Amino acid sequence: MGKKKKRTAVLLAVVIAACCFRLFSAASSFPAIQYTGGQTADAATSLTADELELYAASAVLMDGGSGRILYDKEGDTPLPMASTTKIMTCILALEWMEDNADAVCTASANASAQPQVKLGMVQGEEFYMKDLLYSLMLESHNDTAVCIAETVAGSVENFAAMMNAKAEEIGCTQTYYITPNGLDAEDENGIHHTTARDLALVMRYCLTESSEAENFLTVTRMASYSFTDLSGTRSYSCTNHNVFLNLMAGALSGKTGFTSKAGYCYVGALEQDGKLLIVALLACGWPNNRGYKWADTKKLMNYGLSEFELRDITESTVTTADIPVTNGQQDHVATAVEQQSVFRAEDAAGWQSDPEENLSLYADTVWVLMCTNEEVEIRVEQFQTLEAPVQAGEQVGLVHYLVDGIEYAAASVVTAEAVKERTYLYCLRELTEAFLF
């Protein structure tokens, strides 16, 4: 009987030692997230640049909701952009006016000396900035742009620095501003230029991301506007020259431009059937071809309306794998996609840095304009192993939602249950139960 007890004690010691070894031999560092699988996508079947037969040398059609490029003809080629520049001038002025609602602008010698097209302000004349915004966007007055820039930033050079900083913030990679009005200009860093893609991005910011989006729409959609200078002695009238506002149902906003180097340029937006479409055109003809930009804009807008549909790219069923757990009271933990954690890809940096403080970035759905034969590509990545204890709802991976190779949304993979740690007492209890029963 003594030998049997001795053997039992030895066996008990071996099992407990094994449990303890398993407990303390876990990796000291948390394992990296590893790719675990996915679902590939068919290629898009959008038209090529040649098939749509546009007049513009450079053109882009953008899904204003997601930022996806639906059509691209030399969309990343840097070119002068003329007075389409003024959408950036306008949005910066509007955002500055949040703290300066009744700002007064005084015309400088520099402003009054600007070439046509101009309001005709004289040096020393004073205006409310809220009135000058209509002069800027409806009539595209060059002296007004300079007067606004000098009021906001103290000088044209300082305002250009603000424009370039905002462009970088928006995501423009090939844009360089020198003037607030878009007149052809060059300095030691190059010429005043943008790309069709960047121009569409700026318009998207003005319409969907800026805190002043509603006021931007109010100004740019106004058919006509009249005002006086601050003294009330001189009166001015402005008429909107954005013909596109009357060409298609749902036309929202836009800005024309022309210089001898840039040719005719245009950026405009339309909202119809839940779709927000943005068109940007550069070098779309020269004098005697004024109508080319309207023909190209209508062609691109109709293409976006007819060939693309809105789809919630996060609605697909996603299967996640169980993850092995070391030192746990069970060997694996189940996982699931937490739909409440879906976020747009453009918000990913903020979400990943501190998700608890960025709840406003979460989205119930992420809509993207897609061709009917396109599929959403899903990539799942999650930890290869976890170390107990594991909490229920703990983030252990990400699901990435891509269209045509570009990520537009992601969601968190979380543990579906808790796993307690395998402790010395747990091992002893398990062994005792096994021995007795």
Side-chain angles (χ1 to χ4, degrees):
M1 194 69 179
K3 290 183 178 180
K4 184 176 181 180
K5 288 182 178 180
K6 187 175 181 180
R7 286 197 298 272
T8 300
V10 171
L11 178 60
L12 180 61
V14 170
V15 173
I16 291 175
C19 290
C20 291
F21 175 78
R22 188 177 179 191
L23 175 63
F24 296 113
S25 63
S28 58
S29 59
F30 210 52
I33 291 179
Q34 299 293 327
Y35 175 75
T36 60
Q39 158 184 335
T40 58
D42 294 334
T45 59
S46 55
L47 296 176
T48 66
D50 292 336
E51 289 174 316
L52 210 50
E53 298 181 346
L54 298 178
Y55 293 111
S58 176
V60 153
L61 172 66
M62 175 181 284
D63 171 8
S66 69
R68 186 188 186 199
I69 300 299
L70 307 177
Y71 177 89
D72 180 342
K73 177 185 177 182
E74 299 296 331
D76 291 316
T77 300
L79 291 169
M81 68 285 214
S83 286
T84 59
T85 296
K86 294 184 174 90
I87 64 171
M88 177 64 88
T89 302
C90 181
I91 202 64
L92 285 178
L94 284 168
E95 291 176 352
W96 180 81
M97 287 174 63
E98 290 176 358
D99 298 319
N100 304 273
D102 296 319
V104 172
C105 302
T106 302
S108 67
N110 183 31
S112 62
Q114 295 298 305
Q116 293 286 2
V117 175
K118 58 193 296 184
L119 179 66
M121 56 180 61
V122 297
Q123 184 176 356
E125 193 173 7
E126 295 181 318
F127 303 87
Y128 284 117
M129 184 177 290
K130 60 186 178 184
D131 291 330
L132 288 186
L133 291 176
Y134 293 92
S135 164
L136 177 77
M137 299 304 289
L138 274 56
E139 292 282 357
S140 199
H141 290 141
N142 293 317
D143 50 354
T144 295
V146 171
C147 188
I148 289 173
E150 292 176 337
T151 301
V152 170
S155 69
V156 166
E157 292 75 18
N158 289 344
F159 191 78
M162 290 177 60
M163 298 171 82
N164 288 314
K166 178 61 76 172
E168 183 177 357
E169 175 190 324
I170 292 170
C172 301
T173 58
Q174 298 190 76
T175 294
Y176 181 56
Y177 293 107
I178 300 175
T179 73
N181 49 29
L183 293 175
D184 295 327
E186 184 174 2
D187 63 15
E188 65 276 8
N189 296 316
I191 66 169
H192 185 92
H193 70 271
T194 190
T195 66
R197 183 188 301 266
D198 282 0
L199 184 56
L201 274 176
V202 176
M203 177 59 88
R204 180 175 181 245
Y205 173 82
C206 293
L207 296 176
T208 69
E209 299 175 0
S210 173
S211 56
E212 289 295 313
E214 185 175 346
N215 287 327
F216 179 84
L217 274 175
T218 297
V219 171
T220 57
R221 297 180 71 177
M222 189 68 68
S224 61
Y225 187 83
S226 298
F227 62 96
T228 66
D229 63 6
L230 208 60
S231 68
T233 57
R234 299 184 70 193
S235 299
Y236 302 90
S237 295
C238 302
T239 301
N240 200 326
H241 293 274
N242 182 10
V243 174
F244 179 66
L245 292 176
N246 298 311
L247 284 182
M248 293 185 71
L252 281 181
S253 179
K255 185 70 190 74
T256 58
F258 175 80
T259 67
S260 59
K261 290 185 178 180
Y264 290 110
C265 303
Y266 183 68
V267 58
L270 173 146
E271 189 170 32
Q272 193 179 122
D273 300 327
K275 305 173 184 179
L276 175 60
L277 298 172
I278 297 172
V279 165
L281 306 170
L282 298 175
C284 192
W286 269 260
N288 300 323
N289 305 131
R290 186 185 296 269
Y292 282 1
K293 60 182 177 292
W294 307 128
D296 279 2
T297 299
K298 286 185 64 177
K299 186 176 290 188
L300 284 168
M301 293 296 190
N302 283 322
Y303 172 61
L305 292 172
S306 63
E307 300 300 321
F308 294 87
E309 61 182 13
L310 275 172
R311 290 171 57 184
D312 175 13
I313 64 172
T314 65
E315 67 180 359
S316 304
T317 301
V318 180
T319 301
T320 59
D322 292 352
I323 299 178
V325 178
T326 59
N327 302 325
Q329 294 184 16
Q330 61 191 60
D331 292 334
H332 292 77
V333 63
T335 63
V337 179
E338 186 180 35
Q339 290 302 323
Q340 290 76 14
S341 71
V342 171
F343 61 95
R344 297 176 180 84
E346 60 192 332
D347 297 326
W351 183 88
Q352 290 175 326
S353 64
D354 195 342
E356 295 301 324
E357 294 186 6
N358 287 279
L359 297 179
S360 62
L361 302 180
Y362 297 156
D364 294 332
T365 54
V366 177
W367 298 95
V368 176
L369 283 172
M370 300 174 60
C371 293
T372 54
N373 71 322
E374 286 185 284
E375 296 293 336
V376 178
E377 181 183 356
I378 298 173
R379 297 178 186 173
V380 181
E381 55 181 359
Q382 56 191 60
F383 288 109
Q384 288 185 309
T385 60
L386 294 172
E387 182 180 354
V390 177
Q391 305 297 319
E394 185 177 328
Q395 184 184 1
V396 292
L398 288 170
V399 178
H400 303 274
Y401 301 89
L402 304 91
V403 179
D404 201 18
I406 299 175
E407 183 174 356
Y408 291 95
S412 179
V413 178
V414 297
T415 52
E417 56 189 335
V419 178
K420 295 181 179 180
E421 186 178 6
R422 183 188 292 269
T423 63
Y424 177 88
L425 291 177
Y426 170 80
C427 293
L428 181 61
R429 185 172 63 251
E430 289 288 295
L431 180 62
T432 301
E433 290 178 359
F435 180 76
L436 293 178
F437 301 106

